[in-house]
Amino acid sequence: MAKNTNKTTETVASVSDFINTIADEAKRADSFKLTALMEEASGHKAKMWGPAIVGFGSYHYKYESGREGDAPLIAFSPRKSSLTLYLPGFESKEQLLQKLGKHKQSGGCTHIVKLTDVDNTVLRQLLNESFKHAETTNCK
């Protein structure tokens, strides 16, 4: 693999086939629910990005270094310890996260163990605002 080749690119793999490989029944069910919520928020069908990221919409980026590529506007990955949400920052994100319920933040990622741990209305708002911000700013 070339030095500047992006590992996480959109693939033609089936999202439902991927989610069906999740051994934990609750995490599998939550992944299907989160897919539906993100499709609703974005208006885009879920697509696989790399082997383990479910993304919605896409944008092209180019860094000052010259490196460029494509990335999903919003995405999640059902990791072993949590559902990891990849959502851009926006002005009221912190206030929404304070109302979300049980979650952890690390870098730009929001980690949720179970969807029942969070307020569904706040989660929908967070996804809607994240996508709207990502789409209007092209994640810059």
Side-chain angles (χ1 to χ4, degrees):
M1 187 180 283
K3 184 176 162 188
N4 284 338
T5 301
N6 296 325
K7 291 184 226 169
T8 306
T9 57
E10 188 177 320
T11 72
V12 295
S14 164
V15 171
S16 58
D17 286 353
F18 165 67
I19 293 174
N20 279 320
T21 66
I22 300 169
D24 182 284
E25 195 176 317
K27 184 164 284 166
R28 187 170 58 246
D30 277 354
S31 295
F32 278 117
K33 286 177 193 165
L34 193 52
T35 298
L37 288 171
M38 287 187 154
E39 283 183 346
E40 183 183 305
S42 70
H44 292 272
K45 281 284 180 201
K47 301 216 175 175
M48 290 302 300
W49 286 76
I53 295 176
V54 180
F56 304 82
S58 67
Y59 71 100
H60 188 78
Y61 62 85
K62 185 171 185 175
Y63 297 128
E64 286 183 26
S65 66
R67 182 183 176 124
E68 59 184 291
D70 296 303
L73 289 166
I74 59 174
F76 80 94
S77 184
R79 304 288 184 199
K80 186 175 182 174
S81 62
S82 67
L83 295 166
T84 300
L85 281 58
Y86 303 101
L87 306 171
F90 57 93
E91 195 173 320
S92 61
K93 186 176 182 182
E94 272 308 309
Q95 289 101 328
L96 287 174
L97 288 173
Q98 288 173 15
K99 299 176 192 171
L100 182 61
K102 190 175 175 185
H103 74 283
K104 289 184 182 173
Q105 287 293 120
S106 68
C109 300
T110 302
H111 304 275
I112 298 170
V113 176
K114 300 179 296 205
L115 289 183
T116 55
D117 288 342
V118 298
D119 182 309
N120 197 277
T121 302
V122 175
L123 177 59
R124 283 175 187 268
Q125 191 176 357
L126 182 64
L127 297 177
N128 288 335
E129 293 295 324
S130 293
F131 182 78
K132 193 185 313 175
H133 177 79
E135 191 176 47
T136 57
T137 63
N138 250 359
C139 282
K140 291 179 184 163

